Amino acid sequence: MTETPTHDAARYDFHAIEERWLPVWEERQPFRSGRPDDDRPTKYVLDMFPYPSGDLHMGHAEAYALGDVIARHWVQKGFNVLHPIGWDSFGLPAENAAIKRGVDPAGWTEDNIAQQVSSMKRYACSFDWDRVLMTHRPDYYRWNQWIFTRMFERGLAYRKHSNVNWCPKDQTVLANEQVVGGLCERCDTPVTKKKLNQWYFKVTEYADELLDGLETLRGSWPDKVIAMQRNWIGRSSGADVAFEIEGRDEPITIYTTRPDTLHGATFMVVAADSDLAAELAEGADEATQAEFATYVEKVKGENEIDRLATDREKTGVFLQRYGINPVNGERLPIWASDYVLADYGHGAIMAVPAHDQRDLDFARAMDLPVRVVLDCTDENGQAYGDPAETGIAAAGDGTLVNSGSLNGMAKAEAIAAITEELSAAGTGDAATNYRLRDWLISRQRYWGTPIPIVHCEACGEVPVPDDQLPVQLPAAEGLDLKPKGQSPLAAATDWVNTTCPSCGGAALRDTDTMDTFVDSSWYFLRYLDPAKSDGPFDVLDAKRWAPVDQYVGGVTHAILHLLYSRFFTKALRDMGMLDFDEPFSALLNQGMVQMDGSAMSKSRGNLVRLSEQLDEFGVDAVRLTMAFAGPPEDDIDWADVSPAGSAKFLARAWRLARDVESEPGVDPSTGDQALRAITHRTLHDSQELVEGFKFNVVVARTMELVNATRKVIDSGAGASDPAVREAAEVVSILLSLFAPYAAEDMWAMLGHEDVALATYPAVDESLLVEETVTCIVQVKGKVRGRLEVPPGISEDELRELALASDGAKRAIGDAGIRTVIVRAPKLVNIVTA
Ligand code: ANZ
Ligand code: ZN
């Protein structure tokens, strides 16, 4: 152990303090969490790992400051905290940088990681530096391949030929999740469709569980994230109904959520880009066939979101074919259109224009009939007009009309009745559908995990045996990494040509790489033993540490990353490797750091550089500012906060420790009782406040404690009062969550070592008796009453109490109230009209 450095106690100098403690922590590594003799209870606190695209920025600084408050808190509560860090180091940015500058993606990546490591250490993140992982290293991606192979064996990884999302700029396929508003998530290029043979993970196998599992997270995950996942999975229930088609042997099955409206169907629509549409079009006249062919070409360039939009002009081609409505034998014309998707339900619908907006828009555009079959009212109880006239579909609830045996029934009743009827007649059945699709994981890019499959003419798709993993990426040197629609790996012929692990014959390696979301789907398990060489993780380690108790990261990952991690967890559980269902027991989404009301960017010219902030105000002040700015979920505008103010406060706190005159271990019970009450109240409340993520309030309360302590030093028994020492020690322990350098320096001045490992002192309950303060109630500036209220009372509560007080009521009389000014807890001023 290194000796505690001596210091210049005269004034607060954050540069000197940082220089003093950084090497000490580097040597002592206080946050090593795997010591075998450690019998403290465990806690797993995880920050989303960064992409090494450059040095740390303000967004990282916020995320890691907040995650660190939580991790350090649990250490101070006496837990053995696992708080690891690693790098999500495969992916397009490294590859694009490599293409642009002609450098090796591996070298570029490693350099950036080294830079980030040094910045994180300076930033005093409480990471366990013995557990670092990097996903681009073969000792990590080997296990991606291993897990892929296990998935393959279970039918959870498979290859299929299908229409996929294609980014024309990046020249690679994208998962549905990577298409945002019809654009490529990475480069904002409109995404098109392309027919390709691709690898998938069968996420849909777990669709129900992924949906139902969300309920177990309610209260521990943000509601917004739960709602986003729920919508993404998009479970809906209704019925499959078979429609006979004139001149076709097989009926067409459609999916509908509204079988009750079957009598209102006036036409049918098939997805223009489906095989079904192509087949039906073959029976049409030549002009129609030509029109259809042109239309399909156009549709192929369109994205899903636009296609489903209600406010869009409806287009389509009449295929000159007819279907028969199974409930009334009516002939329904069949159209091809883009507003029906090929890969949802059955790619075909019955159109009920009176009750479905898109169908109505289509009917009005193509002059097709509209028939009301539900007498219904909207959510305000208003009756709808005639949809054909108003253009507004009657989508509400109501009573069935024009529907034969269903007449007079309510919607829900009719759905049940007709479903039963259809199923008795053999023309339909209840059905469930999901918006969720299987996860397309193959990418035609270089910088990723090679898919561990060998294609053999005799044996087909053969997984590379475990003892031959990892399949290492061939060196980038000599390969053209530019996107060109085919994986750059295909050009590494020495690498591609191999022998079949099964028959020994000549065979070819799969040249695609995995989506990098595969890497991040299980990394939290690899931290448990990042050097493990005989498996991805140890089952017993997972029992001990996982699931993650607290996950901290950006809401940008609300869908993709969290959904995939949840899928991996369930799949690994079913492989017998995990004994829990959900990877992240609790989730905190921090907001973003902005500048002058908008996201920071170089092009906007409002970029705030973290390194400059750290140089100017110090690490502690920046960290404290992040925590003090407001609730962690809210965005921070750097123009509205004051790192200089934070630095001033830290100096003030630091001087308390400098001024303490009593000895360590002195009995505080003889000290100033009022100060002790504040100290213990702060100590008590802060722990609950941290656990409720009210970090800003903890900072505010610590500021109050600092002020109260200063007052006692400047008066009364002064700096030798043992209550002053007690308060200063509590201040440094609380501050170590936010400002570890200042806290460590204070702790040393107070005669101790390693503030981060100092557990919270026991709260003296007898000092917690609730004090009250007197609140003055004024009406139009005149004192009309006094209230005894708890000091922590909220503004809203206090406003209500004041308005309800007798004195105020009397003074207000019949006059209206113009404004109520509340200065909790001491003053309420009511201004009457
Ligand atoms: C008739 C009907 C009447 C419908 C009505 C709705 C309201 P969700 O909830 O998203 O599952 N649909 C079915 N397959 C489709 C496809 N491949 N592309 C586009 N739309 C499709 O939506 C199911 C409803 O969306 C289905 O119920 C169908 O229209 C349409 F008053 O059938 B409905
Ligand atoms: Zn073979």
Side-chain angles (χ1 to χ4, degrees):
M1 197 164 255
T2 43
E3 221 172 280
T4 301
T6 52
H7 49 270
D8 163 23
R11 90 196 158 81
Y12 174 73
D13 172 353
F14 66 79
H15 285 300
I17 296 174
E18 285 175 21
E19 268 165 42
R20 187 176 305 141
W21 293 109
L22 189 54
V24 175
W25 295 334
E26 184 66 15
E27 165 94 25
R28 290 185 188 164
Q29 290 293 324
F31 301 107
R32 229 177 256 144
S33 38
R35 295 181 176 98
D37 54 346
D38 196 328
D39 55 6
R40 291 173 296 173
T42 62
K43 218 19 127 188
Y44 190 173
V45 179
L46 183 62
D47 294 301
M48 289 183 184
F49 63 165
Y51 192 86
S53 45
D55 198 357
L56 298 187
H57 53 62
M58 294 296 281
H60 293 121
E62 182 193 10
Y64 297 134
L66 302 183
D68 226 41
V69 173
I70 299 172
R72 287 173 176 271
H73 164 74
W74 288 108
V75 174
Q76 291 185 174
K77 267 208 109 121
F79 283 75
N80 183 7
V81 174
L82 175 58
H83 186 210
I85 193 69
W87 279 269
D88 192 7
S89 41
F90 266 144
L92 283 182
E95 194 162 343
N96 290 341
I99 292 164
K100 216 157 116 193
R101 288 171 233 172
V103 293
D104 179 21
W108 183 88
T109 301
E110 298 266 349
D111 287 351
N112 282 337
I113 291 175
Q115 175 67 55
Q116 293 196 350
V117 167
S118 119
S119 297
M120 283 172 177
K121 287 187 170 173
R122 176 183 183 192
Y123 202 59
C125 297
S126 67
F127 296 134
D128 180 346
W129 289 104
D130 289 348
R131 291 177 184 266
V132 169
L133 64 80
M134 301 170 197
T135 61
H136 74 287
R137 297 258 181 100
D139 65 353
Y140 185 86
Y141 71 70
R142 169 183 182 183
W143 302 108
N144 282 344
Q145 295 173 335
W146 187 92
I147 293 171
F148 176 96
T149 307
R150 300 289 90 74
M151 297 266 202
F152 181 80
E153 289 161 0
R154 283 167 173 71
L156 289 174
Y158 68 93
R159 204 156 76 124
K160 80 171 175 201
H161 211 72
S162 72
N163 257 329
V164 297
N165 300 310
W166 178 259
C167 173
K169 171 135 184 287
D170 288 332
Q171 291 274 309
T172 187
V173 303
L174 300 169
N176 277 350
E177 290 83 343
Q178 287 163 323
V179 182
V180 180
L183 305 178
C184 170
E185 180 193 50
R186 296 238 179 257
C187 71
D188 285 347
T189 305
V191 171
T192 59
K193 292 276 182 188
K194 190 166 177 169
K195 205 146 207 173
L196 284 173
N197 208 1
Q198 299 287 308
W199 286 99
Y200 291 82
F201 278 151
K202 206 170 181 183
V203 186
T204 53
E205 178 105 352
Y206 289 93
D208 277 319
E209 212 200 322
L210 287 167
L211 188 69
D212 298 337
L214 291 171
E215 291 314 310
T216 66
L217 302 171
R218 209 169 274 289
S220 317
W221 277 34
D223 286 340
K224 187 173 148 204
V225 174
I226 292 180
M228 287 166 85
Q229 295 243 330
R230 180 166 275 288
N231 288 338
W232 189 260
I233 297 164
R235 181 163 68 193
S236 84
S237 60
D240 281 344
V241 186
F243 284 64
E244 295 295 338
I245 306 300
E246 289 180 4
R248 190 179 194 260
D249 295 340
E250 287 288 303
I252 290 177
T253 303
I254 61 103
Y255 172 68
T256 177
T257 47
R258 297 290 306 277
D260 58 310
T261 63
L262 256 166
H263 289 268
T266 54
F267 56 100
M268 297 176 73
V269 185
V270 295
D273 52 340
S274 64
D275 295 345
L276 178 61
E279 180 219 301
L280 292 173
E282 279 168 20
D285 61 40
E286 237 165 75
T288 304
Q289 289 204 25
E291 190 195 344
F292 173 73
T294 315
Y295 184 62
V296 171
E297 275 319 300
K298 184 182 82 114
V299 171
K300 277 191 177 153
E302 295 172 349
N303 70 69
E304 219 167 88
I305 310 252
D306 286 347
R307 287 177 63 165
L308 289 176
T310 40
D311 56 357
R312 190 161 173 265
E313 196 201 335
K314 293 288 177 283
T315 55
V317 178
F318 173 46
L319 298 177
Q320 301 172 330
R321 303 287 295 263
Y322 292 87
I324 306 297
N325 189 334
V327 295
N328 56 16
E330 268 180 50
R331 269 181 110 215
L332 305 177
I334 304 176
W335 288 70
S337 175
D338 59 355
Y339 82 97
V340 171
L341 302 178
D343 64 352
Y344 186 73
H346 303 284
I349 65 158
M350 64 163 184
V352 185
H355 304 287
D356 180 281
Q357 191 60 48
R358 278 172 299 195
D359 294 346
L360 181 62
D361 296 341
F362 193 85
R364 282 160 57 99
M366 307 301 171
D367 209 11
L368 294 159
V370 178
R371 184 192 306 145
V372 173
V373 290
L374 217 75
D375 210 358
C376 58
T377 50
D378 64 19
E379 63 265 24
N380 303 320
Q382 293 279 28
Y384 288 93
D386 178 3
E389 298 281 315
T390 62
I392 299 165
D397 210 338
T399 311
L400 275 283
V401 294
N402 298 328
S403 295
S405 61
L406 302 178
N407 284 341
M409 288 186 190
K411 174 174 150 186
E413 194 189 349
I415 290 176
I418 189 74
T419 306
E420 201 161 301
E421 243 175 69
L422 291 166
S423 122
T427 51
D429 228 328
T432 304
N433 259 290
Y434 302 87
R435 212 177 87 88
L436 184 69
R437 293 279 159 271
D438 280 342
W439 171 15
L440 198 173
I441 60 154
S442 35
R443 296 289 178 276
Q444 292 70 48
R445 296 300 298 253
Y446 171 76
W447 194 231
T449 304
I451 288 180
I453 290 283
V454 167
H455 299 280
C456 167
E457 246 171 55
C459 314
E461 295 162 350
V462 183
V464 176
D466 290 354
D467 61 6
Q468 291 171 33
L469 298 180
V471 176
Q472 292 227 27
L473 262 184
E477 213 194 321
L479 294 181
D480 175 18
L481 302 187
K482 279 196 207 73
K484 53 187 155 315
Q486 191 195 26
S487 172
L489 297 182
T493 41
D494 288 350
W495 181 86
V496 174
N497 289 305
T498 184
T499 50
C500 169
S502 171
C503 71
L508 301 174
R509 287 194 191 284
D510 198 294
T511 56
D512 284 354
T513 53
M514 295 182 201
D515 181 4
T516 55
F517 277 104
V518 173
D519 309 349
S520 52
S521 290
W522 66 281
Y523 78 115
F524 60 99
L525 296 165
R526 186 65 184 169
Y527 281 133
L528 306 180
D529 189 356
K532 189 176 169 63
S533 58
D534 59 351
F537 57 89
D538 190 272
V539 175
L540 292 178
D541 282 339
K543 264 196 169 49
R544 176 166 181 228
W545 289 103
V548 172
D549 294 291
Q550 180 65 57
Y551 200 21
V552 181
V555 74
T556 45
H557 291 300
I559 298 178
L560 300 114
H561 162 56
L562 293 175
L563 190 75
Y564 296 152
S565 302
R566 297 180 62 224
F567 159 68
F568 260 61
T569 299
K570 291 168 199 300
L572 290 167
R573 176 203 61 199
D574 290 347
M575 294 172 197
M577 298 178 68
L578 297 177
D579 64 353
F580 50 88
D581 303 320
E582 291 289 341
F584 311 122
S585 304
L587 174 68
L588 172 65
N589 288 140
Q590 85 279 355
M592 302 216 304
V593 189
Q594 305 182 325
M595 185 63 186
D596 288 324
S598 56
M600 289 185 193
S601 80
K602 237 186 255 168
S603 54
R604 265 200 204 97
N606 66 347
L607 195 72
V608 178
R609 278 185 204 291
L610 175 62
S611 59
E612 287 166 11
Q613 297 292 305
L614 298 181
D615 290 344
E616 188 171 351
F617 304 107
V619 169
D620 283 346
V622 171
R623 289 178 53 132
L624 189 81
T625 303
M626 294 290 184
F628 190 43
E633 301 83 0
D634 291 0
D635 292 341
I636 298 176
D637 196 316
W638 204 248
D640 298 341
V641 296
S642 171
S646 299
K648 254 190 207 150
F649 159 67
L650 288 169
R652 196 168 158 75
W654 181 88
R655 287 194 296 267
L656 295 182
R658 181 199 64 188
D659 294 348
V660 164
E661 281 169 10
S662 56
E663 288 305 307
V666 63
D667 174 11
S669 63
T670 57
D672 185 302
Q673 289 305 296
L675 178 59
R676 293 202 72 214
I678 299 173
T679 302
H680 282 258
R681 168 59 64 191
T682 308
L683 184 60
H684 171 270
D685 294 356
S686 292
Q687 296 174 54
E688 282 173 14
L689 287 164
V690 168
E691 285 166 36
F693 308 137
K694 304 214 162 35
F695 309 141
N696 53 330
V697 183
V698 178
V699 175
R701 298 285 297 273
T702 308
M703 289 174 170
E704 285 169 18
L705 177 57
V706 167
N707 290 343
T709 313
R710 175 50 61 190
K711 263 192 206 140
V712 174
I713 293 178
D714 291 347
S715 63
S720 61
D721 184 329
V724 165
R725 162 170 283 278
E726 183 183 43
E729 291 190 348
V730 167
V731 168
S732 42
I733 287 175
L734 291 177
L735 268 189
S736 91
L737 305 178
F738 309 98
Y741 288 103
E744 190 79 274
D745 216 51
M746 290 173 69
W747 198 238
M749 287 191 285
L750 291 164
H752 309 292
E753 237 171 43
D754 290 334
V755 69
L757 301 177
T759 47
Y760 291 114
V763 172
D764 184 340
E765 300 283 335
S766 71
L767 291 166
L768 292 187
V769 280
E770 184 72 72
E771 3 140 27
T772 57
V773 286
T774 305
C775 173
I776 307 281
V777 180
Q778 298 180 333
V779 177
K780 274 193 161 169
K782 280 212 181 93
V783 177
R784 297 293 186 180
R786 288 184 168 75
L787 296 167
E788 288 300 310
V789 297
I793 190 164
S794 74
E795 283 194 2
D796 288 342
E797 264 178 282
L798 192 56
R799 176 182 297 112
E800 277 194 21
L801 276 182
L803 287 171
S805 67
D806 290 341
K809 274 205 238 158
R810 231 176 291 127
I812 296 165
D814 293 335
I817 293 166
R818 192 136 56 96
T819 42
V820 183
I821 300 154
V822 185
R823 296 279 173 271
K826 290 197 172 140
L827 177 74
V828 177
N829 187 12
I830 301 163
V831 183
T832 51

